[in-house]
Amino acid sequence: MIELKNVHKHFGRKKVLDGISFTANKGEITCLVGVNGVGKTTILNAIMNLTPIKKGEITIDGELMRPDLYNKVAFIPDVAIMLPNMTVHEAMDFMKDYYVSWNCKRAKEITRFFRLNLTEKISELSKGNQAKVNLLMGLALDVDYILMDEPFSGIDIFTREQITDVFSSRLVEDRGVLITTHEIFDIEHLIDKVVLLDNGVIYKEFNAEEMRETEGKSVVDVMREAYNR
Amino acid sequence: MKKSLHNFLKFTNFELERLSKFLFALMGITFIANLVGYIYTPMKYMGKINEYIAQNSATSEQAIQQYGPFSFYNALNSFWIVGPIALGISGFIFYSFFIWYREWFGKNTFAYRLLMLPIHRMTLFYSKLVVVFIGIFTLISTQMISLFIGYPIVSAIIENTYYVNQSLMEAVQLHPLFLYLFPLDLGFFLTINAVGLVVLLVLFTAILMERSYAVKGIVLGIIYAVVALTLVLLPLFLPDLLNNHYILYGSELIIIEAILLVIVAVLSLFTSRHLINKKITV
């Protein structure tokens, strides 16, 4: 379980996270939603120790982040993070060199699934294919948790469909997924838990399906409710 | 421990591959420029001598009086030899910044990947440090190889009458720049390299301050670098600053310098470790 307890984060004088607490469980898809600048990416960066927090605690299965836990949690940011002059194949070799959790068989499976050309340089790939390479680098790791930041941003409809398929495929089964997205329609039916952020705090934490069934509201309806207060 | 060393070597190798193009370019420029210098400078001298003799029907002695004799030191002092040294120094000052900032800026943000590698983050720090040092030593070696090649070339081009036979070591020891590049005294060699290492440590720490605290980090980094470098360099320049009115013996200055180097190195390492583990941001 990824657990955030009373997490505070400031950017200069601006309070971005003001006592955020929630959990993301293994085997569940948790979605962080909120308008731009609400701190979704900051939360993911903070979990991966890529930005310091002012106060609070973040644990992964009860442990504070340390280097070997990067074999347990993978982060797929919304920017290209492998060297542009690497080919897809070289990028895979790089991952294999450093991560004991790198699963070569699964990596090959994903390259086939996404129809990636292994000999092509990352810099020469389209934005959609770069996003697929990012996904490949995260999904081919035998990790318990995957964090994804805006996996659909700036991506065409067909690639988006392919990425959506990932969520329902066995590539993420049994893992805990924590995702941020604005394109909530694409994955609403797959989400287990929604954490809605507003003004640095959690406005509401709910089960998407339950909300649909009991109150007849979609995730976007709840978001509207929050931001139209 | 074994795993850490393995990771360190693996990452150092990776960083060396990334340095290779830049290093080979600098080595190529250094080698070619030096070779041109060792051929062109003595030929230019001989050209002037011959022209003087031809135009003035002068004797060799008169030509020497006019232009002076030529030694290997004269070749070393030419732009073709000093220029590449200046280029190498500025190149590696630039690379010491570039080796960090390229991970954040540019087409892709590789800093994400590096900071998420399942290795101790200080491994990245040590590897980058070692790679800059390997680069500097490789460039110095290129300069050294070209010296050995250039020495017989210069003596072959300059006629014996005009040539002051000077050993390679003598020429190197006379030259203010080469004296630092190839110190013959072990103590001096160790001091120069220790100072170089600590200067690099301070620079890396200042860069990590900026990467951790943004604008505040720039101010902090500059203050830290100025204070730390003043501490480290002061004993070296103290005799000159006091117009050689020594207040301390040389051996005392060396002990003070060694203590200051250790203090600044340890402080830089601890600060860097804290910043890269807890404060750095992508």
Side-chain angles (χ1 to χ4, degrees):
Chain A
M1 177 173 71
I2 295 175
E3 188 172 18
L4 283 84
K5 284 184 211 159
N6 193 28
V7 172
H8 291 252
K9 168 84 186 170
H10 291 213
F11 283 124
R13 285 184 189 169
K14 195 186 169 201
K15 214 182 262 183
V16 181
L17 305 177
D18 191 13
I20 297 283
S21 302
F22 72 91
T23 58
N25 299 315
K26 222 182 143 184
E28 280 183 6
I29 298 179
T30 305
C31 190
L32 285 173
V33 292
V35 291
N36 287 331
V38 84
K40 302 183 296 288
T41 303
T42 305
I43 290 177
L44 300 188
N45 282 338
I47 293 171
M48 298 306 281
N49 190 23
L50 297 173
T51 194
I53 54 172
K54 196 169 183 242
K55 211 172 115 185
E57 192 180 76
I58 301 172
T59 55
I60 290 135
D61 289 339
E63 293 177 289
L64 292 171
M65 188 44 115
R66 48 166 212 271
D68 57 314
L69 287 183
Y70 290 117
N71 273 310
K72 204 171 184 177
V73 195
F75 179 31
I76 303 166
D78 70 336
V79 289
I81 61 166
M82 298 306 284
L83 289 178
N85 57 344
M86 276 180 172
T87 63
V88 177
H89 193 271
E90 283 165 349
M92 286 162 72
D93 280 345
F94 178 86
M95 295 296 283
K96 191 178 146 195
D97 270 353
Y98 289 96
Y99 290 86
V100 288
S101 56
W102 181 256
N103 185 326
C104 291
K105 204 176 145 199
R106 186 185 288 152
K108 276 183 195 157
E109 207 178 302
I110 298 168
T111 53
R112 274 198 298 270
F113 180 76
F114 283 143
R115 293 181 193 170
L116 285 168
N117 179 358
L118 298 185
T119 55
E120 211 165 348
K121 281 192 174 177
I122 290 174
S123 59
E124 288 161 5
L125 295 172
S126 65
K127 194 171 178 193
N129 279 344
Q130 289 202 5
K132 287 177 190 175
V133 170
N134 259 6
L135 281 170
L136 161 70
M137 298 304 145
L139 294 172
L141 292 167
D142 273 334
V143 289
D144 293 337
Y145 304 96
I146 300 174
L147 316 184
M148 294 185 195
D149 190 17
E150 297 290 350
F152 306 109
S153 109
I155 282 170
D156 66 79
I157 183 78
F158 301 108
T159 310
R160 203 183 282 187
E161 275 173 12
Q162 262 188 314
I163 295 173
T164 308
D165 288 344
V166 168
F167 288 95
S168 47
S169 74
R170 58 185 196 82
L171 290 170
V172 295
E173 69 183 3
D174 298 334
R175 311 202 210 184
V177 176
L178 181 57
I179 182 173
T180 74
T181 183
H182 288 297
E183 329 289 330
I184 200 80
F185 294 113
D186 290 312
I187 53 161
E188 189 169 350
H189 58 291
L190 300 166
I191 299 168
D192 295 296
K193 186 158 82 178
V194 179
V195 178
L196 177 54
L197 300 165
D198 185 30
N199 276 332
V201 294
I202 294 177
Y203 170 74
K204 200 173 243 177
E205 199 179 325
F206 58 95
N207 182 292
E209 209 179 320
E210 265 177 33
M211 182 62 78
R212 250 193 320 270
E213 282 172 9
T214 57
E215 297 186 35
K217 289 177 186 167
S218 68
V219 176
V220 177
D221 290 334
V222 183
M223 282 177 79
R224 273 203 196 99
E225 197 180 282
Y227 298 118
N228 291 334
R229 274 179 293 159
Chain B
M1 181 67 193
K2 206 176 162 187
K3 202 177 158 197
S4 302
L5 183 67
H6 180 67
N7 281 332
F8 168 73
L9 293 175
K10 203 160 54 178
F11 193 73
T12 305
N13 182 50
F14 175 72
E15 282 287 348
L16 272 175
E17 277 173 26
R18 295 173 82 191
L19 167 75
S20 57
K21 272 187 198 161
F22 178 77
L23 183 60
F24 286 141
L26 277 182
M27 282 167 75
I29 292 170
T30 301
F31 194 74
I32 292 167
N34 284 359
L35 221 56
V36 169
Y38 292 131
I39 296 168
Y40 175 71
T41 316
M43 279 180 80
K44 192 178 160 196
Y45 171 82
M46 282 311 297
K48 277 196 286 189
I49 291 280
N50 291 335
E51 196 183 314
Y52 181 78
I53 290 171
Q55 281 178 356
N56 304 294
S57 308
T59 61
S60 305
E61 286 73 24
Q62 285 169 323
I64 290 174
Q65 265 186 349
Q66 179 67 24
Y67 291 109
F70 194 93
S71 69
F72 190 62
Y73 176 80
N74 295 93
L76 289 186
N77 235 352
S78 76
F79 162 79
W80 298 98
I81 314 298
V82 177
I85 296 175
L87 183 72
I89 292 169
S90 36
F92 272 98
I93 290 173
F94 162 77
Y95 198 80
S96 304
F97 285 94
F98 179 69
I99 201 170
W100 284 104
Y101 284 105
R102 68 179 169 191
E103 318 296 14
W104 276 265
F105 303 107
K107 261 187 176 173
N108 298 358
T109 317
F110 195 51
Y112 274 100
R113 183 83 284 149
L114 290 186
L115 296 175
M116 290 194 295
L117 287 177
I119 60 177
H120 289 288
R121 287 184 181 173
M122 276 307 274
T123 305
L124 311 177
F125 183 93
Y126 293 130
S127 289
K128 286 177 188 287
L129 191 77
V130 166
V131 162
V132 172
F133 250 71
I134 290 175
I136 292 169
F137 279 118
T138 310
L139 206 57
I140 290 176
S141 308
T142 310
Q143 198 93 36
M144 192 183 268
I145 291 167
S146 74
L147 263 181
F148 283 105
I149 295 171
Y151 186 70
I153 294 176
V154 171
S155 67
I157 295 172
I158 303 288
E159 286 171 25
N160 287 341
T161 324
Y162 308 104
Y163 191 57
V164 179
N165 205 354
Q166 193 178 40
S167 78
L168 193 59
M169 294 302 164
E170 275 174 325
V172 165
Q173 288 305 294
L174 278 174
H175 200 285
L177 259 180
F178 280 85
L179 189 66
Y180 285 94
L181 286 184
F182 313 116
L184 295 179
D185 176 62
L186 180 68
F188 191 51
F189 172 83
L190 291 176
T191 310
I192 291 294
N193 283 291
V195 171
L197 179 69
V198 172
V199 168
L200 207 53
L201 276 174
V202 169
L203 181 66
F204 276 17
T205 309
I207 290 170
L208 290 180
M209 282 177 177
E210 189 279 324
R211 290 289 79 204
S212 301
Y213 299 108
V215 181
K216 253 191 260 170
I218 297 176
V219 179
L220 261 176
I222 291 172
I223 293 172
Y224 180 74
V226 169
V227 173
L229 295 181
T230 306
L231 276 176
V232 166
L233 299 175
L234 191 65
L236 298 178
F237 296 106
L238 199 60
D240 286 335
L241 290 174
L242 297 173
N243 291 323
N244 288 331
H245 290 116
Y246 299 146
I247 48 167
L248 291 165
Y249 288 113
S251 57
E252 288 171 335
L253 269 180
I254 288 173
I255 293 169
I256 292 171
E257 175 69 12
I259 293 169
L260 287 173
L261 281 173
V262 171
I263 291 171
V264 173
V266 171
L267 188 66
S268 298
L269 281 172
F270 272 100
T271 310
S272 296
R273 189 166 169 243
H274 174 70
L275 294 173
I276 205 168
N277 284 330
K278 305 239 187 255
K279 298 289 175 195
I280 204 157
T281 189
V282 282

